[in-house]
Amino acid sequence: MLADELRLASFAVLASLALVALPLFLHLPGWVPLVFALLLAWRATLVWQRRPLPRRLWLMLVSLLPVAALWLNLRTLVGREGGVAFLLLLVGGKALETASLRDWRVLLALGFFLAATPLLFDQSPLSASWLLLSLFALTWAMVLLSGEDARLSPAVTARALLLSFPLMVVLFVVMPRLPGPLWSMPTEQQGATTGLADSMSPGAIGKMIPSREPVFTAEFRGSQPRVSQLYWRVMVFDQFDGTRWTAANLALPRGVALSGEAQPLRYDVVAEPFQGYLPMLEQGVEAGEGVVLGYQQKLRRVDAANTARLRYSVQSVASSQYRDALDEREQAFYLQLPADNPRTIQAGQALAGRHPLPAARLQALQLWLAEQGLRYTLNPPTLAGNVVDGFLFDSRQGFCEHFSLAFTVLARAAGLPARVVVGFQGGEFNAQGRFWQIRSSDAHAWSEVWVDGSWRRVDATALVAPQRVDAGIDNTLGEVAPRMPLVGGRPPGWAQWVAQQWQLANFSWQRWVVGYDAASQQNLFQQLGLGEVSAANVVKALLGGMALVLLPLAAYVLYGRRGRRSPSRF
């Protein structure tokens, strides 16, 4: 290869690497991709000015100092964020020591590996489209490194990718799959964007900032439930220290029985576990493969340590209660209260004295709360000290966490075992795809009160703002409703249609591509009439088929094109 040709190919390699790394600005500490870009710019300047590579001392400094800074920043060089950032810095350092054609080819090979890393953070169709663009840029650089004419290189690149596409599809379909989705790794932090937390202390929250980020999807088989029936249960908080609710994580091996003979709803959910638990529509009666329904009606995956996105099936009955026999020790546990919030405790005890029957007492508690003049808002004043007293008797305004906390304390003070359930309520129905999209803004909290041998759902928020449950939070509070970027205001009809189509495309992508795991592959083989196909047999058949295709091609390359000049070293 001539020096000018290699110079052009070098610029193509550096440009393709820069393109590949652009999405990582959204997922890594900002300085890491910036350092990577500066290293590429430094190497491009040296190529442009035909100057020699930096001295070995400079190479060591630019390689070791960013890695040390990365360790101080993340305290790790492995995992998703740490591993990708470490790889990015190493590729940037490698660019500054490329001296020969072989070095540029090695750097380009690293670029192909780097192109896949954004999928560890985001597996949306947009990320897949960017991956295709990155593959085109990298392949174009590879074509230039092979000595191809620069004017013909785009056509050669496109032809090579088109010819490889059928093989890519075949490999995707038939290669043995991992038990879970391929592009998933555990993240170091969870919960900041899901609308849920691992504890609840409403008095410390001055303003709840709603997020419309999608959290999970649900697809019902048959008729669709009403929005008011969509109580997606995730976690249970049953310990209160006066200001904060936490989970005791009881693990009693007792099952539950639903009250009534309602027809169960069958549905599939695609979600990531939160604190080990998965969303499930109340009340669950049967869990499918890969998940298990446990005590307190909490659903978790069988391999609890796996935090990857999972597709699972559940059967539920849209019921507000289920039977559960509590012994005296458990009843005492669900009645525990600290000595704080004396006005709330006094109100609960007074109601208990006037209503000796538990069912009548529960009804009286709900009526009392509805008559207190409380207001539903996402911008309540901050509370300190006796937060429940401050909410019920002073500020009188809050959102679902305030209402559920206050009613649960009130019920315990009235002698009724109670606990807080957190999850999501409602969702957005996509008519084209016939699935529900649940977002962070749908996060919700409600109470469960044990009366006459059954846990009964009490949504205190619905007592004050019933439209929150009947119509959804988007139609209840203006600050949560979708708005047009920049210009503001609710989106017009065409924008809503486009949003629905994009939502459908993303759902289909997640279902058929990202969620194509070992179970999906076996289901496909069975539908094709192949029955149970082992991974070993798939690999043998695949290798045999590839040999039939590649051996004649290799013979043609080795013996049929001897006259073509081979690239030389730089």
Side-chain angles (χ1 to χ4, degrees):
M1 175 181 284
L2 300 177
D4 289 340
E5 292 178 342
L6 182 59
R7 191 162 173 255
L8 176 61
S10 302
F11 283 122
V13 173
L14 296 173
S16 63
L17 289 176
L19 180 71
V20 163
L22 273 179
L24 296 178
F25 272 96
L26 302 175
H27 308 294
L28 298 179
W31 67 269
V32 176
L34 183 60
V35 168
F36 176 77
L38 291 175
L39 293 176
L40 294 188
W42 187 1
R43 186 65 182 99
T45 302
L46 296 179
V47 173
W48 177 260
Q49 298 177 352
R50 303 179 187 273
R51 294 172 57 185
L53 295 176
R55 296 178 181 273
R56 189 172 298 275
L57 177 61
W58 284 107
L59 289 176
M60 293 180 61
L61 288 177
V62 299
S63 298
L64 296 179
L65 289 181
V67 171
L70 178 64
W71 171 261
L72 294 175
N73 188 179
L74 300 180
R75 293 296 178 181
T76 182
L77 298 180
V78 297
R80 190 175 64 170
E81 285 79 5
V84 173
F86 185 44
L87 174 63
L88 193 65
L89 294 175
L90 290 182
V91 172
K94 175 65 179 176
L96 279 178
E97 59 122 12
T98 50
S100 65
L101 178 60
R102 176 185 174 278
D103 292 335
W104 285 107
R105 286 174 172 168
V106 170
L107 183 63
L108 186 64
L110 292 174
F112 278 99
F113 187 77
L114 190 65
T117 58
L119 295 178
L120 298 175
F121 301 92
D122 180 32
Q123 299 91 38
S124 67
L126 188 61
S127 294
S129 301
W130 191 268
L131 175 61
L132 290 178
L133 180 62
S134 301
L135 289 178
F136 183 89
L138 292 166
T139 307
W140 173 61
M142 182 173 62
V143 168
L144 290 177
L145 280 177
S146 69
E148 188 63 59
D149 190 321
R151 293 171 297 180
L152 301 177
S153 58
V156 174
T157 301
R159 186 165 60 249
L161 289 177
L162 288 175
L163 290 174
S164 66
F165 184 75
L167 180 60
M168 292 166 56
V169 173
V170 171
L171 290 174
F172 175 81
V173 172
V174 304
M175 281 296 290
R177 312 298 295 183
L178 298 174
L182 177 61
W183 299 106
S184 294
M185 288 183 67
T187 177
E188 284 75 11
Q189 296 180 349
Q190 284 193 17
T193 59
T194 63
L196 300 182
D198 57 1
S199 64
M200 193 174 74
S201 50
I205 301 175
K207 181 177 181 180
M208 180 181 177
I209 303 176
S211 167
R212 288 186 54 80
E213 180 180 356
V215 178
F216 66 94
T217 57
E219 187 177 15
F220 286 85
R221 307 170 196 172
S223 60
Q224 302 296 326
R226 300 187 304 274
V227 174
S228 59
Q229 294 177 308
L230 298 180
Y231 279 84
W232 303 99
R233 189 186 192 95
V234 180
M235 294 185 297
V236 174
F237 293 151
D238 45 22
Q239 291 187 128
F240 184 53
D241 63 4
T243 59
R244 188 169 67 102
W245 283 87
T246 56
N249 291 321
L250 301 177
L252 301 181
R254 185 178 66 250
V256 297
L258 290 166
S259 302
E261 300 293 336
Q263 186 70 22
L265 297 168
R266 294 173 174 84
Y267 57 98
D268 298 320
V269 178
V270 178
E272 293 181 6
F274 182 82
Q275 303 292 329
Y277 298 104
L278 292 160
M280 174 196 65
L281 189 65
E282 290 187 328
Q283 305 291 335
V285 294
E286 185 177 335
E289 183 179 355
V291 292
V292 59
L293 179 59
Y295 183 69
Q296 294 183 333
Q297 280 274 302
K298 292 186 294 187
L299 186 72
R300 64 188 313 155
R301 63 187 305 162
V302 174
D303 50 339
N306 193 339
T307 61
R309 184 179 295 270
L310 176 68
R311 181 181 179 89
Y312 55 94
S313 300
V314 189
Q315 290 188 34
S316 298
V317 173
S319 172
S320 61
Q321 63 180 351
Y322 66 92
R323 300 197 61 80
D324 190 11
L326 299 185
D327 58 30
E328 292 184 0
R329 181 181 62 85
E330 291 173 285
Q331 293 181 43
F333 173 79
Y334 287 115
L335 288 172
Q336 291 177 358
L337 278 177
D340 306 288
N341 304 294
R343 287 185 287 178
T344 303
I345 294 177
Q346 182 180 4
Q349 292 173 344
L351 288 169
R354 292 195 294 269
H355 301 277
L357 296 178
R361 192 184 316 163
L362 176 60
Q363 186 175 3
L365 290 174
Q366 297 179 70
L367 181 61
W368 181 89
L369 188 74
E371 294 175 343
Q372 298 308 302
L374 305 177
R375 186 168 69 89
Y376 182 65
T377 176
L378 296 187
N379 300 278
T382 55
L383 301 172
N386 295 318
V387 295
V388 181
D389 282 356
F391 165 63
L392 285 177
F393 301 100
D394 298 326
S395 72
R396 299 179 184 272
Q397 49 185 310
F399 44 90
C400 61
E401 292 186 346
H402 294 79
F403 290 100
S404 59
L405 181 150
F407 191 84
T408 306
V409 172
L410 191 67
R412 288 192 176 189
L416 299 178
R419 61 196 184 193
V420 177
V421 181
V422 293
F424 301 85
Q425 198 285 317
E428 178 185 353
F429 182 64
N430 188 299
Q432 284 78 25
R434 298 189 61 78
F435 67 92
W436 292 83
Q437 178 72 73
I438 292 82
R439 303 179 183 275
S440 292
S441 55
D442 295 314
H444 197 52
W446 57 95
S447 303
E448 272 188 338
V449 183
W450 191 76
V451 174
D452 297 334
S454 296
W455 284 107
R456 302 187 184 186
R457 181 206 309 142
V458 178
D459 189 349
T461 305
L463 299 175
V464 176
Q467 67 275 17
R468 163 64 182 88
V469 175
D470 295 332
I473 193 169
D474 289 359
N475 298 311
T476 303
L477 297 173
E479 56 263 49
V480 185
R483 296 183 177 276
M484 291 290 289
L486 301 179
V487 297
R490 294 186 69 91
W494 65 266
Q496 295 181 28
W497 182 86
V498 170
Q500 288 265 311
Q501 297 305 311
W502 172 252
Q503 191 181 84
L504 175 59
N506 190 60
F507 172 76
S508 302
W509 176 263
Q510 294 290 335
R511 178 178 180 180
W512 301 112
V513 179
V514 178
Y516 185 69
D517 55 9
S520 302
Q521 186 181 59
Q522 286 297 328
N523 289 336
L524 176 62
F525 288 161
Q526 290 177 359
Q527 292 176 5
L528 295 176
L530 301 177
E532 292 288 338
V533 180
S534 67
N537 291 335
V538 171
V539 172
K540 291 176 182 178
L542 186 62
L543 292 177
M546 291 178 64
L548 292 176
V549 175
L550 295 179
L551 287 178
L553 180 61
Y556 169 73
V557 171
L558 291 175
Y559 300 104
R561 305 178 67 186
R562 282 188 172 183
R564 183 166 183 161
R565 62 185 177 90
S566 59
S568 59
R569 290 177 60 86
F570 176 52

